[in-house]
Amino acid sequence: MTSKATTAKQQGGSKDSPTKTQQIILTGDRPTGPLHLGHYVGSLRQRVALQKEYKTFVMMADAQALTDNANNPDKIRQNILEVALDYLAVGIDPKHTTIFIQSLVTELAELTMYYLNLVTIARVQRNPTVKDEIKQRGYSGESVPTGFVCYPISQAADITAFKANLVPVGSDQVPMIELAVEIVRTFNRTYNCDVLVEPKAGLSDITRLPGTDGGGKMSKSLGNAISLGDSTDVVQKKIKGMYTDPNHLRVEDPGTVEGNPVFAYLDAFDKDKKELQTLKEHYRRGGLGDTVVKKRLTEVLLAELDPIRARREEFAKDPAQVMRIIEEGTKVARAAAAQTLKEVRQAMRIDYFESR
Ligand code: ATP
Ligand code: MG
C-alpha cells in the first residue's frame, strides 16, 4: 500500500461498524412535484421515526430531477418549496435533520464524475427501475438523456458522500442501493482504502404503494398520486375516481382485494386491522359496493391528512423562513460532503497540493 493510501485508510475510520449514535441516514426526493402517500409510507414515516436516533440528511435531488426535466428548470425550482413544506408538515424536524439542495453541494457532482469511471455502460443499462422509467417517460430508441441513464451513479455519490449506513426508500430504489454498494467496494479496492461506507436500504412494511389508477407505483410523474397537501375536496374526488376491481360491476358480485388499490391504501393507513379483515371478507364474498369501501378509505385518509395539511398551511405562511432552513442545511451538508471528498481525493492520489 502506498503511503498516501495508508493515510486515507486511517482517515476513513475504523472497519468496525459505527455505534448506533454515529449511524447516518441519507435519503431524498426529486423536486418534481408535491410529495404523496407513496412517499409517506415508503420513506417519510421512517425518516421521522429515526431522525432522533440517526444523524439524518434529507436531500432535495434537483440535479437528479433535471436529468429528465432539463427543459423545465422552473418546475424543479418551484417544487423545492413544495417538497420542503411537505417535509416540515410530516414532522421532519430541522433540529434533528439536515435538509439540503443537491445541486448546491457541488462535491456531489465531482464525486459522480469519479464514479462514472468505475461503472460499465452494460451495468447502468441493466438497472430494472431505470428501464421501467425509460418506458414510462416514453423515451424511444436511444433518445434517453445520458444523465438519466446514469442517475443511479450520481445517487451513489449522494449516499456515499455522507457515509450513510441507512437509506430509507421504497422498493423501486433497491437496485440503486445495490449499485452504491458495488461502487463502494470497487472504489475501496481500486484505491486500496476504506474511505467509503457500504449503505443498506431501509425498507418500510409498505415498499411500493400503487397509484390511484391501479398502476404499479404511485408517482409524481404519472398523475396517479394523492398528494399530502391535497384539499379535502381533491382527496374525495381522487378516491371516487379510483380504479378498483373491473369485474366488480354490481354490488352483489364477488370482488378481488389483491391488486385493488383501495385495499392497498386501507392496508397502509387503516388502524383497525380487525374491521378491515371483515371488510375484505365481505368484499370477496360479494354484497359490498365500492362506494362503501371508498367512503371508509376517505375517512381513514382524511384523518391522516388533515393534521398534515394544517401544519403545511402554517409553514406556508412564512416561505422565507423555510428557505432559510434549507440554506442553513445546505451549508451543513456541504461541509460534510467536502470532508469525504478530501478523503476521496487523497485515496485517488489527486490531492496535489494538500500534502506539500
Ligand atoms: P418521480 O415520478 O419524479 O420519479 P416519485 O413519485 O417516483 O417521483 P421520487 O422522488 O422518485 O418520487 O422518490 C422519492 C422516495 O420515495 C424514494 O425513496 C422512493 O422509493 C419513494 N417512493 C416514491 N413513490 C413511492 C411509492 N409509490 N411507494 C413507496 N415508496 C415510494
Ligand atoms: Mg421516482
Side-chain angles (χ1 to χ4, degrees), residues 80-247:
I80 288 286
L81 181 64
E82 296 304 317
V83 171
L85 287 172
D86 288 327
Y87 287 163
L88 298 170
V90 297
I92 291 182
D93 182 349
K95 274 203 229 86
H96 301 291
T97 295
T98 302
I99 301 172
F100 70 98
I101 297 181
Q102 182 188 27
S103 67
L104 293 176
V105 180
T106 53
E107 286 78 5
L108 301 175
E110 182 187 344
L111 194 54
T112 303
M113 229 12 225
Y114 305 144
Y115 287 177
L116 281 166
N117 305 325
L118 305 178
V119 183
T120 63
I121 290 176
R123 180 68 185 86
V124 284
Q125 284 177 335
R126 30 170 226 275
N127 184 308
T129 299
V130 176
K131 276 191 191 164
D132 278 356
E133 290 174 340
I134 287 174
K135 260 192 234 137
Q136 279 164 7
R137 282 156 178 73
Y139 292 124
S140 59
E142 298 190 341
S143 70
V144 55
T146 314
F148 188 75
V149 188
C150 294
Y151 88 70
I153 299 179
S154 99
Q155 203 167 312
D158 306 330
I159 296 166
T160 55
F162 294 91
K163 302 198 176 181
N165 315 92
L166 188 70
V167 190
V169 281
S171 57
D172 61 310
Q173 295 302 310
V174 169
M176 317 315 184
I177 313 297
E178 283 168 4
L179 180 70
V181 169
E182 283 173 37
I183 291 177
V184 167
R185 291 184 184 160
T186 308
F187 184 95
N188 286 348
R189 191 180 60 244
T190 306
Y191 301 113
N192 198 13
C193 65
D194 60 1
V195 167
L196 300 183
V197 174
E198 283 183 29
K200 253 201 214 89
L203 293 173
S204 68
D205 48 346
I206 292 151
T207 60
R208 190 184 185 92
L209 199 72
T212 50
D213 56 357
K217 177 178 149 341
M218 182 178 284
S219 165
K220 293 186 228 97
S221 306
L222 298 177
N224 62 4
I226 295 178
S227 302
L228 297 176
D230 277 348
S231 68
T232 305
D233 253 22
V234 170
V235 173
Q236 281 167 339
K237 266 195 209 113
K238 285 183 178 173
I239 294 177
K240 233 185 190 163
M242 265 178 83
Y243 176 93
T244 56
D245 168 6
N247 298 318

Side-chain angles (χ1 to χ4, degrees), residues 13-28:
S14 103
K15 270 225 159 68
D16 306 331
S17 49
T19 62
K20 210 45 186 225
T21 50
Q22 295 168 313
Q23 296 264 314
I24 297 170
I25 283 179
L26 176 285
T27 186

